[in-house]
Each structure stands twice: as structure tokens, then as C-alpha cells.
Amino acid sequence: MRKLYVIIIISLLVSCSAELTHEVTVSLNEEHYWEYHTGRPMWYTLKYFDGEKVKQKTLFAGTMKAEITVITGKSAVFAAYPLGTLHPAGGGFMSGDEENIRLHFTDGRLSELLLEAADMNPTLMGNLNPKRLFSETGMFFDSEALLVDLLNGEYKGEGKYRTKTYKVTLSDIPKGKYIPESESYPFFEIKDEELSVTVSLHPGQYRFMNISMAIFLLVTVSADGSAEYRTYQGDIW
């Protein structure tokens, strides 16, 4: 009888200590800008913080939603990366929110930063309000300052992390039309007689695709406005 009591007590302790979970539906309601221009669907890597740790799963081409288990009462963040590495679509969830989470490419950069914060401090991330951060931060922000302030519990609020644009001159790149990853980024064309083009960009990393030549352009703009760029050959998946 004593052994039976011990087993019952242990079972109760285990059940009490286990985190309660539930499922949410994560949906990709937007095409990546390159999917739209090529007509070719991409596969995605969905990285997410479930309220406890960062995990990931693959969404095969044509799969637009996934059922994800999250910790009840905790915040969750999601970032879906086209082809595993491109600019992600993002979104977040906290207790009491609608459980059908729609991911948007305008929220991808912040989702990526919040996943980085979750890796460093999952307890903090599990208690943040992702939707408030999305609405107050926007698409272009000082990622280094925001990450440091979030981890230190010193988030300064709306408009405090804005960045300005810089003129970036791109020279000696192949001619053609360059399609950005997002319609929020500039589209430009290099014609036969042109040697360079100047675009306005916030600090961050940008990719452009020249479909006709299967060439990709990677541009990285630093916080001080200095820029590096390179082209590389690639398959149109």
C-alpha cells in the first residue's frame, strides 16, 4: 500500500510540473515577392519559439500552414524563411490572442530578432507582448540597440529605434532588372549605357534577383551608412 501511495504522489508531482500546451495555426497568407514574380512556389523553414525554446520545421513548397504546439500562458514567435535563408515572414502570439496566426513579411525582421532574444533569454521572451512590438517598431529599426534593450528590460517604446536611409551606389553589376525580396525595398534596372545606380536603403541586409540572368545581388548596409555588395550566380529554385 505504501508503494502505491508513493507512485500516486510521484505521478501527481510530474503532472503538476509539466507545462500545459495547446495548438495554434500558423499561416503564410502572402507570397514571397520572388514567388510572385517567378510563379514558382518555395519551400520554407519555420523557426519558432514555443514559449520555452526555439524549434524549427520544414514547410514543403505549396504548404501554407502548420499546426504548432505552444506553451499555454506564454508568448510565442514565428519566422518562416523562404528556401531556408531568405527574408522571413513573421508573426507572434501571446495568451488570449487569436490562435490563427498570420505571418507577414513586414514583421519578419523583428521576428528574427525576437527569436535571437529567445535563444538568449527564453523566460523574458515568454512574457513579452510580440504584437505590441510589431506595431511600435515597424520594419526598419536599429536591431542592435533594440536587442540589447529588450534583454536588459529597458525597451524604450514606439519610435525610439528608427533608422534613417542612406544613398547606396551600386557599380559594375550586370545589366538587367533587379527585383527585391520585398515590395518595401526599391526595384531598379541597370541598362546598357549605365555604369551604376543609386538606391536608398536603411541599415540591414538586402537581396535582389535578376531573373533574366539568374544572378542575385546581396547588399549589406552598416549603421553608419557604409555598404558592401556582391553578386552571385544561383538557380531559380
Side-chain angles (χ1 to χ4, degrees), residues 22-29 64-68 70 78 90-94 96-104 131:
H22 66 284
E23 283 196 343
V24 297
T25 302
V26 179
S27 304
L28 277 162
N29 283 11
M64 301 303 289
K65 65 172 59 177
E67 300 297 324
I68 301 295
V70 298
F78 309 88
F93 168 88
M94 68 179 299
D97 285 348
E98 164 66 41
E99 295 191 358
N100 185 10
I101 298 113
R102 296 171 176 84
L103 305 187
H104 302 280
K131 286 192 173 180

Side-chain angles (χ1 to χ4, degrees), residues 155-170:
Y155 173 66
K156 294 181 173 62
E158 187 171 5
K160 300 300 183 182
Y161 301 94
R162 290 176 184 163
T163 56
K164 64 179 183 178
T165 58
Y166 293 96
K167 298 290 185 183
V168 176
T169 298
L170 306 170

Side-chain angles (χ1 to χ4, degrees), residues 99-235:
E99 295 191 358
N100 185 10
I101 298 113
R102 296 171 176 84
L103 305 187
H104 302 280
F105 285 100
T106 51
D107 294 332
R109 189 161 174 253
L110 180 55
S111 292
E112 193 168 33
L113 181 141
L114 294 178
L115 288 175
E116 186 178 352
D119 261 333
M120 297 179 182
N121 191 335
T123 301
L124 172 72
M125 188 60 241
N127 292 288
L128 288 180
N129 183 340
K131 286 192 173 180
R132 178 191 171 193
L133 293 172
F134 290 132
S135 65
E136 294 184 352
T137 306
M139 190 171 182
F140 303 105
F141 52 86
D142 184 334
S143 56
E144 183 176 345
L146 178 57
L147 179 61
V148 169
D149 283 355
L150 286 176
L151 291 173
N152 289 334
E154 298 174 351
Y155 173 66
K156 294 181 173 62
E158 187 171 5
K160 300 300 183 182
Y161 301 94
R162 290 176 184 163
T163 56
K164 64 179 183 178
T165 58
Y166 293 96
K167 298 290 185 183
V168 176
T169 298
L170 306 170
S171 305
D172 300 320
I173 60 176
K175 67 180 181 179
K177 295 179 180 179
Y178 285 82
I179 301 169
E181 278 195 81
S182 167
E183 58 186 329
S184 300
Y185 305 157
F187 172 97
F188 64 90
E189 182 177 5
I190 299 289
K191 298 179 180 178
D192 289 333
E193 68 277 8
E194 293 176 332
L195 299 176
S196 65
V197 66
T198 299
V199 294
S200 295
L201 298 171
H202 290 265
Q205 190 174 80
Y206 304 85
R207 292 181 184 87
F208 301 84
M209 177 177 60
N210 183 329
I211 298 178
S212 61
M213 301 188 72
I215 286 174
F216 297 86
L217 171 67
L218 177 65
V219 182
T220 303
V221 183
S222 300
D224 62 2
S226 60
E228 297 180 350
Y229 59 92
R230 65 180 177 88
T231 58
Y232 58 96
Q233 205 80 31
D235 296 324

